[in-house]
Amino acid sequence: MAHHNHHLIFVLSSLVVIALVALQGTHAVQYDVTNEAVGTPGGTIFDNQIGIEYSRQTLESGSAFIWQIFGQSNEADRKNVQRISMFVRPVDGVASTSGDQIQVSANYIARFSGDVKREITGVLYHELTHVWQWDGTPGPRTPGSLIEGIADYVRLKANYPAPGWVQAGAGNSWDERSDVTAHFLDYCNSLRAGFVAELNSKMRTGYNANYFVELLGKTAEQLFSDYKAMYAS
């Protein structure tokens, strides 16, 4: 009897391990956050109003949100990223991403007036998109305007728009600036559910302006003209 119980416990514990592995996916992504600006005005605001644990949770939930937007429920559809590291540093600008490393400016945190926690959450959604999105490499590279526009589209859909963004319908060309592109992509996605996911998927091996025609039957310029006309009426 005792032997039977031990066997049952072993089977159950094995099932629990299998369930945990299934839950995390085969490669759970590791998220690290480091404040390298401790003691600076921005570094102090980061510690007091945002914090390492909140940032880590945002990287985790933000990644899951991006996989959803990109229709990447399967790991095989995603970039192979094992670890994402975020650093708060006393640098200029707002934030930047290189590979799987995100840098957030402590100087920007210090000078931002308004809800800094909400703003940095939006910044992280944007920068995280750069980690996960396909950019055309190794084929013809996706134009920077579209790469940035998709990152702002994700930020828009997460409901963390930046202060100072234009309203939907604004702009003179679809790729004029990233907030204009974000609203335009939202319009394109309304014409074909999953458009942004399909566009991103196509850019896994290269970029072609004709992707808009393939997916929506019109060039980006024609679509932008329709979009402007819709807001004019």
Side-chain angles (χ1 to χ4, degrees):
M1 187 67 191
H3 175 74
H4 180 71
N5 279 350
H6 277 143
H7 180 68
L8 188 65
I9 288 165
F10 173 74
V11 170
L12 285 172
S13 60
S14 300
L15 286 172
V16 168
V17 169
I18 290 164
L20 283 173
V21 169
L23 197 66
Q24 294 173 336
T26 43
H27 302 102
V29 183
Q30 176 80 31
Y31 301 95
D32 301 322
V33 181
T34 310
N35 182 0
E36 293 183 355
V38 174
T40 68
T44 303
I45 292 168
F46 173 80
D47 282 338
N48 292 341
Q49 295 185 40
I50 303 161
I52 283 174
E53 188 48 35
Y54 173 79
S55 299
R56 208 196 59 72
Q57 287 168 3
T58 301
L59 294 176
E60 194 170 339
S61 55
S63 291
F65 182 81
I66 291 161
W67 300 336
Q68 195 184 337
I69 291 265
F70 286 165
Q72 297 174 336
S73 52
N74 293 331
E75 212 175 294
D77 298 331
R78 299 174 204 152
K79 269 195 194 170
N80 181 17
V81 176
Q82 306 293 330
R83 176 188 295 260
I84 296 176
S85 304
M86 169 190 162
F87 300 92
V88 180
R89 291 177 173 147
V91 292
D92 291 332
V94 177
S96 60
T97 296
S98 177
D100 54 10
Q101 299 204 352
I102 296 170
Q103 173 175 275
V104 176
S105 165
N107 301 3
Y108 179 69
I109 291 173
R111 73 172 183 269
F112 184 80
S113 59
D115 187 341
V116 72
K117 187 175 187 176
R118 182 176 174 80
E119 169 63 6
I120 295 305
T121 304
V123 166
L124 288 179
Y125 271 79
H126 176 106
E127 298 303 329
L128 264 173
T129 305
H130 291 326
V131 174
W132 293 113
Q133 73 191 145
W134 300 110
D135 64 2
T137 313
R141 196 152 187 275
T142 305
S145 55
L146 183 53
I147 287 173
E148 293 300 327
I150 289 173
D152 269 358
Y153 169 78
V154 168
R155 185 173 176 173
L156 178 71
K157 299 315 281 183
N159 201 24
Y160 291 107
W165 273 13
V166 297
Q167 294 297 306
N172 299 306
S173 66
W174 73 272
D175 54 357
E176 183 181 327
R177 40 183 275 185
S178 57
D179 53 349
V180 172
T181 307
H183 285 298
F184 170 66
L185 290 172
D186 199 22
Y187 164 75
C188 291
N189 210 76
S190 75
L191 301 176
R192 179 183 177 123
F195 166 80
V196 172
E198 290 179 275
L199 182 62
N200 179 67
S201 178
K202 282 178 174 288
M203 297 191 297
R204 187 167 186 161
T205 50
Y207 177 73
N208 191 318
N210 214 41
Y211 290 161
F212 283 87
V213 181
E214 288 173 24
L215 291 169
L216 291 171
K218 294 181 178 182
T219 65
E221 289 69 27
Q222 287 169 323
L223 288 160
F224 190 75
S225 174
D226 293 349
Y227 166 71
K228 292 295 287 186
M230 185 182 84
Y231 276 91
S233 60

